[in-house]
Amino acid sequence: MHHKIIIIGSGPAGYTAAIYAGRANLSPVLLEGLQPGGQLTITTEVENYPGFAEGIDANELMDQMRQQAERFGTTIMSNICMRCDLSKAPYRLWLDDDTEMTCDALVIATGATAKYLGLDDEKKYMGQGVSACATCDGFFYRKKVVAVVGGGDTACEEANYLSGLASKVYLIVRKSQLRASQIMQDRVLNNPKIEVLFLTNTLGLYGENGVEGAHLVYNKGGEDEREYDLPIDGFFLAIGHKPNSETFLPWVKIDENGYIMTEGDSPRTGIPGVYAAGDVADPHYRQAIIAAASGAKAAMEAEKYLANL
């Protein structure tokens, strides 16, 4: 089946691209993928998206974007793009149900996926105490003791969120300081239920029927190096993300971390009619408002491209 434009991804970038493409009468098709709503749905309250003075629930925000995209004629499919051929137009996509689609323009807005430490115990205890989504699983740790790994904004946000549910939250930070924004640092350091463990690395996890604790090392390689066990009930990862760009290789150019490279300030990938928007092409900011703006730019570029065909 052929379409003028296909958008892959359903975060702020994908939905905004769909809204703009729909208003341009391009009849866009949007592939939601594994995580409808994107990364934003693993947070709770969004306080920094313009237009909501008191903040807005993240899932509500994404649901509103979805409805807005549909209002302007977007066809939303729950499929995943498994592989593609971007060697020439029309571009070909193969979905997870073996459907083949073609399009004249393509917006890649597949976002990024949470990173893990790479410990065997993470897989062993996945769903049994290990999680990469505090909002998804925090409820199960009410009045329990949990640990969050990471030192950035995401880690601080997850630690703060969990502090409203758990009896105690440890923030495990491998460096001597947090790298989060100052407001997020202040929230963590002034929260009596959060204890920050600086210069600390996780060696493994232990427990009979789920996570019961973590094997930690303080100041690894230093004179005062010390290994110890920390009793916890839950272990949350918040150490960054990996861009979901593999499906589009070798057609698009990526940087050393896998982010799709675009031309200057534009969403253009160098392939005529193919654009990248949102976190899959943003190694620096990774903010909903910036992702949404890049989705708008991608759709506007696509509209011009299609008009000139």
Side-chain angles (χ1 to χ4, degrees):
M1 190 177 295
H2 183 75
H3 303 278
K4 289 181 183 178
I5 181 170
I6 294 176
I7 299 159
I8 306 177
S10 57
Y15 282 145
T16 305
I19 291 165
Y20 273 71
R23 292 184 75 251
N25 295 318
L26 298 179
S27 302
V29 170
L30 184 144
L31 305 179
E32 279 188 317
L34 283 173
Q35 191 175 9
Q39 283 184 75
L40 208 61
T41 58
I42 70 171
T43 65
T44 48
E45 195 81 0
V46 178
E47 298 177 325
N48 56 1
Y49 201 91
F52 303 96
E54 301 301 321
I56 183 172
D57 177 81
N59 286 276
E60 182 183 348
L61 175 62
M62 298 317 300
D63 186 56
Q64 288 290 322
M65 286 190 187
R66 187 184 202 276
Q67 291 182 46
Q68 194 173 359
E70 289 181 310
R71 175 190 166 202
F72 292 115
T74 301
T75 298
I76 297 179
M77 301 173 63
S78 60
N79 297 82
I80 303 167
C81 177
M82 303 301 290
R83 60 190 180 96
C84 64
D85 183 352
L86 307 183
S87 59
K88 62 180 179 180
Y91 304 114
R92 301 169 70 193
L93 308 177
W94 289 269
L95 310 187
D96 52 336
D97 60 0
D98 294 326
T99 299
E100 181 179 341
M101 304 174 76
T102 59
C103 59
D104 297 313
L106 178 68
V107 176
I108 302 168
T110 45
T113 302
K115 288 183 178 179
Y116 291 83
L117 295 172
L119 303 172
D120 289 338
D121 290 338
E122 288 173 315
K123 296 177 182 177
K124 177 181 177 181
Y125 293 109
M126 184 58 65
Q128 299 181 67
V130 171
S131 172
C133 177
T135 307
C136 307
D137 302 322
F139 178 81
F140 300 110
Y141 299 92
R142 293 177 66 88
K143 299 182 180 179
K144 295 186 177 182
V145 179
V146 300
V148 177
V149 180
D153 278 345
T154 300
C156 289
E157 184 174 352
E158 302 236 319
N160 270 306
Y161 170 72
L162 288 166
S163 72
L165 298 167
S167 60
K168 173 81 173 182
V169 179
Y170 293 100
L171 183 59
I172 301 172
V173 183
R174 64 186 178 89
K175 295 186 177 181
S176 60
Q177 60 187 16
L178 296 168
R179 56 181 174 82
S181 58
Q182 192 60 52
I183 188 171
M184 294 306 295
Q185 289 191 44
D186 292 343
R187 288 179 184 176
V188 164
L189 297 174
N190 293 323
N191 189 324
K193 293 179 72 175
I194 299 175
E195 181 178 343
V196 183
L197 306 177
F198 290 110
L199 294 172
T200 301
N201 286 277
T202 306
L203 300 176
L205 303 169
Y206 63 89
E208 291 295 324
N209 299 308
V211 171
E212 295 177 5
H215 302 299
L216 304 179
V217 57
Y218 169 75
N219 200 19
K220 187 175 182 179
E223 290 184 4
D224 55 348
E225 177 180 329
R226 176 173 58 91
E227 292 187 14
Y228 64 100
D229 289 345
L230 180 71
I232 55 173
D233 302 296
F235 186 78
F236 291 84
L237 283 304
I239 54 173
H241 296 83
K242 179 178 181 294
N244 300 319
S245 57
E246 297 93 334
T247 304
F248 311 100
L249 303 179
W251 316 112
V252 298
K253 296 178 182 178
I254 60 172
D255 68 12
E256 64 274 12
N257 295 312
Y259 289 93
I260 296 177
M261 300 174 68
T262 56
E263 298 179 347
D265 245 359
S266 81
R268 297 187 295 270
T269 63
I271 304 171
V274 178
Y275 310 94
D279 287 6
V280 73
D282 180 8
H284 302 297
Y285 301 106
R286 295 190 293 275
Q287 297 294 307
I289 185 65
I290 294 171
S294 69
K297 290 197 294 184
M300 293 171 74
E301 290 277 355
E303 181 186 359
K304 291 178 185 177
Y305 170 78
L306 292 169
N308 290 326
L309 284 182

